[in-house]
Amino acid sequence: MASAAEQLASNLNFAAFAKAEDLKRRIWFTIGALLVYRLGTYIPMPGINPTAFAQAFQQQSGGVLGMFNMFAGGAVERMAIFALGIMPYISASIIVQLMTSVIPSLEALKKEGEQGRKVINQYTRYGTVLLATVQAYGIAVGLEGGANLVADPGWFFRVSTVITLLGGTMFLMWLGEQITARGIGNGISLIIFAGIVAGLPRALSGTLELGRTGALSTGLILAILVLAVVVIAVIVFFERAQRRLLIQYPKRQVGNRMFQGDTSHLPLKLNTAGVIPPIFASSLLLLPATAAGFTDTTKLPSWASSVLAALGHGQPLYMLAYASLIIFFCFFYTAIVFNPKDTADQLKKHSGFIPGYRPGERTADYIDYVLTRITVVGAIYIMLVCLLPEFLISATGVPFYLGGTSLLIVVSVTLDTVAQIQGHLIAHQYEGLIKKSKLRGGKRGR
């Protein structure tokens, strides 16, 4: 079966794609949904002075607002109706995942299969509404505190801002679910992917403009492009890397027939935590700079000013804190999303076992042992990818649009989407082979 799938995957071509009508419909639906999202990032929120806000945003672009603006596809910079983006939904999903590991009732729901997953998804939506409402109200109050940012401050502006931003986030959440169900790829990830990629043309043109004016040498620009290709290749390699544990199933007898035991593999990804660790680490490190941007820095104590200066991009303390937080969240989030004991119980339930280890607790301990060691490698890999742009910024003074977090998101989402497209093509070719075999069987019967 595996060899047949591999042979079909190697024979995928444009002819097979042209015949896969369902796949083409899914791709067109996904493109249309992402175009709707991009259009929404240009619809301004009512009651805002665009010129004054653009000037205020430039002063805060190096903090958390800059990172959120990148994930929102520039909607924060324009204070559009999608300014909150999909981040409240992602935050709610992470919170619910954390709660499932500490609240027994949620943990029981998680084990109930599809029905339990639907209930957990509904809790995630409720959490999204709560987080988006709080964040939208905070944005409204913060805008009123700025100079000439709001045309008519007051409760009407606050309520309209909350309704607008909350509606934008809920629409994006619904749009992402529709892409997942009726399109191709993971809808939420593709929305973030589209927001990041949308800023690439402007970033590339800005880099070329620096080369034209002489601020950057041609050799340095070429070196940066080559390095970007190498880093992407490294990310692809590590994101696809996995440790496969051999799983065996015993012989079984059905009636008078004895069936041989099967073997399979338990894949453990090298990077189980995904892109969550650098997102958390970046957010925590940028919070002090963002908070300081809204206060008068001249009134801060000398020690606070020193800490803020040390936590600036390219500073040794920032690098050390960033690396430490990434490693911590890699282990922390891996422990949340992957439970070796549950995996061992599932194997035991289906009579599977790892050769040399007794089912149950011994198997769970071995899976945890392997997972911990590959997570060390995964954490080092994520740390190096995320720190590389920081080192380049510190050495060259050139701002890089694609940092480590955004590059990880772009590459991982691309890999996932391509894998799903290949899966649809393989399924389509299997269906074609089955139809042909039925037709041949019918002709022979005649």
mmCIF file of all heavy atoms in Angstrom, residues 108-146:
data_model
loop_
_atom_site.group_PDB
_atom_site.id
_atom_site.type_symbol
_atom_site.label_atom_id
_atom_site.label_comp_id
_atom_site.label_asym_id
_atom_site.label_seq_id
_atom_site.Cartn_x
_atom_site.Cartn_y
_atom_site.Cartn_z
ATOM 1 N N ALA A 108 -11.604 14.957 29.646
ATOM 2 C CA ALA A 108 -12.508 13.877 29.265
ATOM 3 C C ALA A 108 -13.182 14.168 27.926
ATOM 4 O O ALA A 108 -13.373 13.266 27.110
ATOM 5 C CB ALA A 108 -13.569 13.683 30.354
ATOM 6 N N LEU A 109 -13.526 15.453 27.696
ATOM 7 C CA LEU A 109 -14.110 15.827 26.408
ATOM 8 C C LEU A 109 -13.143 15.559 25.264
ATOM 9 O O LEU A 109 -13.538 15.131 24.173
ATOM 10 C CB LEU A 109 -14.498 17.307 26.413
ATOM 11 C CG LEU A 109 -15.842 17.698 27.016
ATOM 12 C CD1 LEU A 109 -15.990 19.207 27.029
ATOM 13 C CD2 LEU A 109 -16.981 17.068 26.220
ATOM 14 N N LYS A 110 -11.876 15.823 25.513
ATOM 15 C CA LYS A 110 -10.855 15.633 24.490
ATOM 16 C C LYS A 110 -10.770 14.178 24.053
ATOM 17 O O LYS A 110 -10.437 13.880 22.896
ATOM 18 C CB LYS A 110 -9.504 16.115 25.026
ATOM 19 C CG LYS A 110 -8.379 16.128 24.013
ATOM 20 C CD LYS A 110 -7.105 16.656 24.645
ATOM 21 C CE LYS A 110 -5.960 16.649 23.663
ATOM 22 N NZ LYS A 110 -4.689 17.140 24.287
ATOM 23 N N LYS A 111 -11.090 13.262 24.960
ATOM 24 C CA LYS A 111 -10.977 11.834 24.662
ATOM 25 C C LYS A 111 -12.260 11.266 24.047
ATOM 26 O O LYS A 111 -12.303 10.077 23.732
ATOM 27 C CB LYS A 111 -10.646 11.063 25.942
ATOM 28 C CG LYS A 111 -9.285 11.423 26.532
ATOM 29 C CD LYS A 111 -9.028 10.657 27.815
ATOM 30 C CE LYS A 111 -7.670 11.017 28.407
ATOM 31 N NZ LYS A 111 -7.399 10.299 29.665
ATOM 32 N N GLU A 112 -13.292 12.092 23.893
ATOM 33 C CA GLU A 112 -14.565 11.607 23.370
ATOM 34 C C GLU A 112 -14.639 11.595 21.849
ATOM 35 O O GLU A 112 -15.688 11.330 21.276
ATOM 36 C CB GLU A 112 -15.721 12.451 23.927
ATOM 37 C CG GLU A 112 -15.984 12.202 25.396
ATOM 38 C CD GLU A 112 -17.158 13.013 25.909
ATOM 39 O OE1 GLU A 112 -17.820 13.689 25.080
ATOM 40 O OE2 GLU A 112 -17.418 12.977 27.122
ATOM 41 N N GLY A 113 -13.559 11.967 21.206
ATOM 42 C CA GLY A 113 -13.539 11.913 19.745
ATOM 43 C C GLY A 113 -14.143 13.140 19.095
ATOM 44 O O GLY A 113 -13.992 14.273 19.581
ATOM 45 N N GLU A 114 -14.871 12.920 18.005
ATOM 46 C CA GLU A 114 -15.404 14.022 17.204
ATOM 47 C C GLU A 114 -16.392 14.881 17.986
ATOM 48 O O GLU A 114 -16.379 16.109 17.890
ATOM 49 C CB GLU A 114 -16.088 13.452 15.958
ATOM 50 C CG GLU A 114 -16.636 14.496 15.006
ATOM 51 C CD GLU A 114 -15.549 15.338 14.363
ATOM 52 O OE1 GLU A 114 -14.380 14.900 14.345
ATOM 53 O OE2 GLU A 114 -15.877 16.438 13.882
ATOM 54 N N GLN A 115 -17.266 14.252 18.772
ATOM 55 C CA GLN A 115 -18.259 15.009 19.530
ATOM 56 C C GLN A 115 -17.581 15.897 20.575
ATOM 57 O O GLN A 115 -17.962 17.067 20.753
ATOM 58 C CB GLN A 115 -19.231 14.038 20.213
ATOM 59 C CG GLN A 115 -20.435 14.722 20.852
ATOM 60 C CD GLN A 115 -21.292 15.456 19.849
ATOM 61 O OE1 GLN A 115 -21.420 15.026 18.701
ATOM 62 N NE2 GLN A 115 -21.878 16.580 20.269
ATOM 63 N N GLY A 116 -16.584 15.364 21.249
ATOM 64 C CA GLY A 116 -15.857 16.174 22.233
ATOM 65 C C GLY A 116 -15.093 17.305 21.578
ATOM 66 O O GLY A 116 -15.008 18.409 22.137
ATOM 67 N N ARG A 117 -14.548 17.047 20.393
ATOM 68 C CA ARG A 117 -13.817 18.099 19.681
ATOM 69 C C ARG A 117 -14.736 19.253 19.309
ATOM 70 O O ARG A 117 -14.341 20.420 19.363
ATOM 71 C CB ARG A 117 -13.166 17.515 18.427
ATOM 72 C CG ARG A 117 -12.239 18.467 17.705
ATOM 73 C CD ARG A 117 -11.639 17.807 16.470
ATOM 74 N NE ARG A 117 -12.667 17.494 15.486
ATOM 75 C CZ ARG A 117 -13.134 18.384 14.621
ATOM 76 N NH1 ARG A 117 -12.672 19.622 14.618
ATOM 77 N NH2 ARG A 117 -14.060 18.040 13.746
ATOM 78 N N LYS A 118 -15.985 18.940 18.935
ATOM 79 C CA LYS A 118 -16.934 20.003 18.597
ATOM 80 C C LYS A 118 -17.242 20.880 19.804
ATOM 81 O O LYS A 118 -17.350 22.105 19.693
ATOM 82 C CB LYS A 118 -18.225 19.388 18.057
ATOM 83 C CG LYS A 118 -18.089 18.774 16.667
ATOM 84 C CD LYS A 118 -19.415 18.209 16.190
ATOM 85 C CE LYS A 118 -19.282 17.615 14.791
ATOM 86 N NZ LYS A 118 -20.573 17.035 14.320
ATOM 87 N N VAL A 119 -17.390 20.252 20.965
ATOM 88 C CA VAL A 119 -17.664 21.029 22.188
ATOM 89 C C VAL A 119 -16.471 21.917 22.536
ATOM 90 O O VAL A 119 -16.625 23.094 22.888
ATOM 91 C CB VAL A 119 -18.006 20.084 23.361
ATOM 92 C CG1 VAL A 119 -18.199 20.875 24.647
ATOM 93 C CG2 VAL A 119 -19.250 19.272 23.041
ATOM 94 N N ILE A 120 -15.256 21.372 22.412
ATOM 95 C CA ILE A 120 -14.051 22.163 22.707
ATOM 96 C C ILE A 120 -13.922 23.315 21.721
ATOM 97 O O ILE A 120 -13.548 24.439 22.099
ATOM 98 C CB ILE A 120 -12.807 21.247 22.677
ATOM 99 C CG1 ILE A 120 -12.843 20.276 23.868
ATOM 100 C CG2 ILE A 120 -11.530 22.078 22.714
ATOM 101 C CD1 ILE A 120 -11.712 19.285 23.877
ATOM 102 N N ASN A 121 -14.237 23.077 20.446
ATOM 103 C CA ASN A 121 -14.204 24.161 19.452
ATOM 104 C C ASN A 121 -15.206 25.262 19.791
ATOM 105 O O ASN A 121 -14.936 26.448 19.579
ATOM 106 C CB ASN A 121 -14.508 23.605 18.063
ATOM 107 C CG ASN A 121 -13.355 22.811 17.490
ATOM 108 O OD1 ASN A 121 -12.227 22.918 17.956
ATOM 109 N ND2 ASN A 121 -13.626 22.011 16.476
ATOM 110 N N GLN A 122 -16.371 24.864 20.330
ATOM 111 C CA GLN A 122 -17.356 25.867 20.717
ATOM 112 C C GLN A 122 -16.836 26.707 21.885
ATOM 113 O O GLN A 122 -17.025 27.937 21.914
ATOM 114 C CB GLN A 122 -18.671 25.180 21.103
ATOM 115 C CG GLN A 122 -19.862 26.113 21.181
ATOM 116 C CD GLN A 122 -20.202 26.756 19.845
ATOM 117 O OE1 GLN A 122 -19.901 26.202 18.785
ATOM 118 N NE2 GLN A 122 -20.788 27.935 19.888
ATOM 119 N N TYR A 123 -16.175 26.072 22.854
ATOM 120 C CA TYR A 123 -15.558 26.817 23.960
ATOM 121 C C TYR A 123 -14.494 27.778 23.432
ATOM 122 O O TYR A 123 -14.341 28.901 23.933
ATOM 123 C CB TYR A 123 -14.924 25.854 24.969
ATOM 124 C CG TYR A 123 -15.920 25.062 25.785
ATOM 125 C CD1 TYR A 123 -15.572 23.847 26.369
ATOM 126 C CD2 TYR A 123 -17.209 25.535 25.983
ATOM 127 C CE1 TYR A 123 -16.478 23.118 27.117
ATOM 128 C CE2 TYR A 123 -18.129 24.813 26.731
ATOM 129 C CZ TYR A 123 -17.753 23.608 27.292
ATOM 130 O OH TYR A 123 -18.657 22.893 28.033
ATOM 131 N N THR A 124 -13.758 27.333 22.406
ATOM 132 C CA THR A 124 -12.734 28.191 21.810
ATOM 133 C C THR A 124 -13.365 29.429 21.182
ATOM 134 O O THR A 124 -12.829 30.541 21.294
ATOM 135 C CB THR A 124 -11.938 27.410 20.751
ATOM 136 O OG1 THR A 124 -11.370 26.245 21.349
ATOM 137 C CG2 THR A 124 -10.820 28.264 20.173
ATOM 138 N N ARG A 125 -14.523 29.262 20.535
ATOM 139 C CA ARG A 125 -15.215 30.408 19.936
ATOM 140 C C ARG A 125 -15.676 31.388 21.009
ATOM 141 O O ARG A 125 -15.554 32.612 20.839
ATOM 142 C CB ARG A 125 -16.403 29.923 19.110
ATOM 143 C CG ARG A 125 -16.009 29.072 17.894
ATOM 144 C CD ARG A 125 -17.218 28.773 17.033
ATOM 145 N NE ARG A 125 -16.874 27.854 15.940
ATOM 146 C CZ ARG A 125 -17.131 26.560 15.951
ATOM 147 N NH1 ARG A 125 -17.763 26.025 16.998
ATOM 148 N NH2 ARG A 125 -16.788 25.793 14.932
ATOM 149 N N TYR A 126 -16.213 30.853 22.111
ATOM 150 C CA TYR A 126 -16.622 31.736 23.207
ATOM 151 C C TYR A 126 -15.412 32.514 23.745
ATOM 152 O O TYR A 126 -15.506 33.716 24.038
ATOM 153 C CB TYR A 126 -17.256 30.926 24.342
ATOM 154 C CG TYR A 126 -18.563 30.260 23.972
ATOM 155 C CD1 TYR A 126 -18.932 29.048 24.557
ATOM 156 C CD2 TYR A 126 -19.419 30.828 23.035
ATOM 157 C CE1 TYR A 126 -20.129 28.420 24.226
ATOM 158 C CE2 TYR A 126 -20.617 30.209 22.690
ATOM 159 C CZ TYR A 126 -20.960 29.009 23.284
ATOM 160 O OH TYR A 126 -22.140 28.390 22.948
ATOM 161 N N GLY A 127 -14.292 31.818 23.894
ATOM 162 C CA GLY A 127 -13.077 32.486 24.359
ATOM 163 C C GLY A 127 -12.599 33.545 23.381
ATOM 164 O O GLY A 127 -12.099 34.603 23.794
ATOM 165 N N THR A 128 -12.765 33.280 22.088
ATOM 166 C CA THR A 128 -12.391 34.265 21.073
ATOM 167 C C THR A 128 -13.223 35.532 21.209
ATOM 168 O O THR A 128 -12.699 36.648 21.133
ATOM 169 C CB THR A 128 -12.580 33.678 19.665
ATOM 170 O OG1 THR A 128 -11.797 32.486 19.547
ATOM 171 C CG2 THR A 128 -12.140 34.668 18.600
ATOM 172 N N VAL A 129 -14.526 35.377 21.422
ATOM 173 C CA VAL A 129 -15.403 36.540 21.601
ATOM 174 C C VAL A 129 -14.963 37.355 22.816
ATOM 175 O O VAL A 129 -14.876 38.594 22.761
ATOM 176 C CB VAL A 129 -16.871 36.093 21.759
ATOM 177 C CG1 VAL A 129 -17.762 37.271 22.140
ATOM 178 C CG2 VAL A 129 -17.370 35.447 20.479
ATOM 179 N N LEU A 130 -14.665 36.664 23.923
ATOM 180 C CA LEU A 130 -14.259 37.366 25.145
ATOM 181 C C LEU A 130 -12.949 38.116 24.940
ATOM 182 O O LEU A 130 -12.833 39.302 25.265
ATOM 183 C CB LEU A 130 -14.133 36.356 26.291
ATOM 184 C CG LEU A 130 -13.674 36.923 27.640
ATOM 185 C CD1 LEU A 130 -14.680 37.958 28.141
ATOM 186 C CD2 LEU A 130 -13.503 35.810 28.660
ATOM 187 N N LEU A 131 -11.933 37.427 24.391
ATOM 188 C CA LEU A 131 -10.626 38.068 24.195
ATOM 189 C C LEU A 131 -10.710 39.216 23.197
ATOM 190 O O LEU A 131 -10.123 40.281 23.417
ATOM 191 C CB LEU A 131 -9.615 37.027 23.711
ATOM 192 C CG LEU A 131 -9.145 35.991 24.729
ATOM 193 C CD1 LEU A 131 -8.208 34.988 24.070
ATOM 194 C CD2 LEU A 131 -8.449 36.655 25.901
ATOM 195 N N ALA A 132 -11.436 39.002 22.100
ATOM 196 C CA ALA A 132 -11.551 40.056 21.087
ATOM 197 C C ALA A 132 -12.270 41.279 21.645
ATOM 198 O O ALA A 132 -11.910 42.421 21.331
ATOM 199 C CB ALA A 132 -12.283 39.523 19.857
ATOM 200 N N THR A 133 -13.293 41.064 22.482
ATOM 201 C CA THR A 133 -14.012 42.191 23.085
ATOM 202 C C THR A 133 -13.099 43.001 23.990
ATOM 203 O O THR A 133 -13.073 44.241 23.931
ATOM 204 C CB THR A 133 -15.228 41.672 23.878
ATOM 205 O OG1 THR A 133 -16.087 40.932 23.006
ATOM 206 C CG2 THR A 133 -16.009 42.827 24.486
ATOM 207 N N VAL A 134 -12.341 42.299 24.844
ATOM 208 C CA VAL A 134 -11.423 42.998 25.757
ATOM 209 C C VAL A 134 -10.349 43.755 24.976
ATOM 210 O O VAL A 134 -10.059 44.919 25.264
ATOM 211 C CB VAL A 134 -10.784 41.987 26.737
ATOM 212 C CG1 VAL A 134 -9.699 42.664 27.566
ATOM 213 C CG2 VAL A 134 -11.852 41.385 27.644
ATOM 214 N N GLN A 135 -9.763 43.107 23.976
ATOM 215 C CA GLN A 135 -8.715 43.762 23.192
ATOM 216 C C GLN A 135 -9.265 44.936 22.392
ATOM 217 O O GLN A 135 -8.611 45.988 22.290
ATOM 218 C CB GLN A 135 -8.066 42.744 22.252
ATOM 219 C CG GLN A 135 -7.267 41.681 22.975
ATOM 220 C CD GLN A 135 -6.659 40.659 22.030
ATOM 221 O OE1 GLN A 135 -6.626 40.858 20.822
ATOM 222 N NE2 GLN A 135 -6.184 39.548 22.574
ATOM 223 N N ALA A 136 -10.472 44.787 21.823
ATOM 224 C CA ALA A 136 -11.063 45.881 21.051
ATOM 225 C C ALA A 136 -11.360 47.083 21.938
ATOM 226 O O ALA A 136 -11.129 48.240 21.546
ATOM 227 C CB ALA A 136 -12.340 45.399 20.365
ATOM 228 N N TYR A 137 -11.857 46.823 23.151
ATOM 229 C CA TYR A 137 -12.126 47.939 24.073
ATOM 230 C C TYR A 137 -10.824 48.623 24.481
ATOM 231 O O TYR A 137 -10.751 49.852 24.569
ATOM 232 C CB TYR A 137 -12.865 47.436 25.312
ATOM 233 C CG TYR A 137 -13.223 48.544 26.280
ATOM 234 C CD1 TYR A 137 -14.303 49.374 26.050
ATOM 235 C CD2 TYR A 137 -12.449 48.763 27.433
ATOM 236 C CE1 TYR A 137 -14.626 50.396 26.933
ATOM 237 C CE2 TYR A 137 -12.765 49.781 28.315
ATOM 238 C CZ TYR A 137 -13.858 50.590 28.060
ATOM 239 O OH TYR A 137 -14.161 51.610 28.932
ATOM 240 N N GLY A 138 -9.788 47.819 24.724
ATOM 241 C CA GLY A 138 -8.488 48.411 25.056
ATOM 242 C C GLY A 138 -7.951 49.264 23.921
ATOM 243 O O GLY A 138 -7.376 50.336 24.156
ATOM 244 N N ILE A 139 -8.138 48.816 22.680
ATOM 245 C CA ILE A 139 -7.700 49.604 21.519
ATOM 246 C C ILE A 139 -8.482 50.912 21.446
ATOM 247 O O ILE A 139 -7.907 51.985 21.180
ATOM 248 C CB ILE A 139 -7.883 48.782 20.227
ATOM 249 C CG1 ILE A 139 -6.841 47.670 20.166
ATOM 250 C CG2 ILE A 139 -7.755 49.676 18.989
ATOM 251 C CD1 ILE A 139 -7.019 46.728 19.000
ATOM 252 N N ALA A 140 -9.805 50.843 21.695
ATOM 253 C CA ALA A 140 -10.627 52.050 21.638
ATOM 254 C C ALA A 140 -10.180 53.075 22.676
ATOM 255 O O ALA A 140 -10.031 54.272 22.378
ATOM 256 C CB ALA A 140 -12.100 51.687 21.850
ATOM 257 N N VAL A 141 -9.936 52.620 23.900
ATOM 258 C CA VAL A 141 -9.479 53.529 24.952
ATOM 259 C C VAL A 141 -8.099 54.080 24.633
ATOM 260 O O VAL A 141 -7.817 55.278 24.832
ATOM 261 C CB VAL A 141 -9.477 52.807 26.316
ATOM 262 C CG1 VAL A 141 -8.856 53.686 27.399
ATOM 263 C CG2 VAL A 141 -10.888 52.405 26.713
ATOM 264 N N GLY A 142 -7.207 53.223 24.115
ATOM 265 C CA GLY A 142 -5.873 53.688 23.748
ATOM 266 C C GLY A 142 -5.902 54.713 22.632
ATOM 267 O O GLY A 142 -5.142 55.688 22.649
ATOM 268 N N LEU A 143 -6.789 54.526 21.654
ATOM 269 C CA LEU A 143 -6.906 55.500 20.562
ATOM 270 C C LEU A 143 -7.430 56.836 21.074
ATOM 271 O O LEU A 143 -6.994 57.902 20.621
ATOM 272 C CB LEU A 143 -7.842 54.953 19.479
ATOM 273 C CG LEU A 143 -7.302 53.784 18.645
ATOM 274 C CD1 LEU A 143 -8.388 53.226 17.736
ATOM 275 C CD2 LEU A 143 -6.097 54.226 17.816
ATOM 276 N N GLU A 144 -8.372 56.787 22.018
ATOM 277 C CA GLU A 144 -8.887 58.041 22.579
ATOM 278 C C GLU A 144 -7.822 58.799 23.348
ATOM 279 O O GLU A 144 -7.862 60.036 23.426
ATOM 280 C CB GLU A 144 -10.079 57.751 23.502
ATOM 281 C CG GLU A 144 -11.347 57.364 22.769
ATOM 282 C CD GLU A 144 -12.519 57.173 23.709
ATOM 283 O OE1 GLU A 144 -12.287 56.973 24.927
ATOM 284 O OE2 GLU A 144 -13.659 57.227 23.243
ATOM 285 N N GLY A 145 -6.849 58.060 23.901
ATOM 286 C CA GLY A 145 -5.780 58.717 24.646
ATOM 287 C C GLY A 145 -4.741 59.371 23.764
ATOM 288 O O GLY A 145 -3.924 60.170 24.250
ATOM 289 N N GLY A 146 -4.726 59.065 22.480
ATOM 290 C CA GLY A 146 -3.767 59.675 21.564
ATOM 291 C C GLY A 146 -4.199 61.054 21.120
ATOM 292 O O GLY A 146 -5.377 61.434 21.217
#
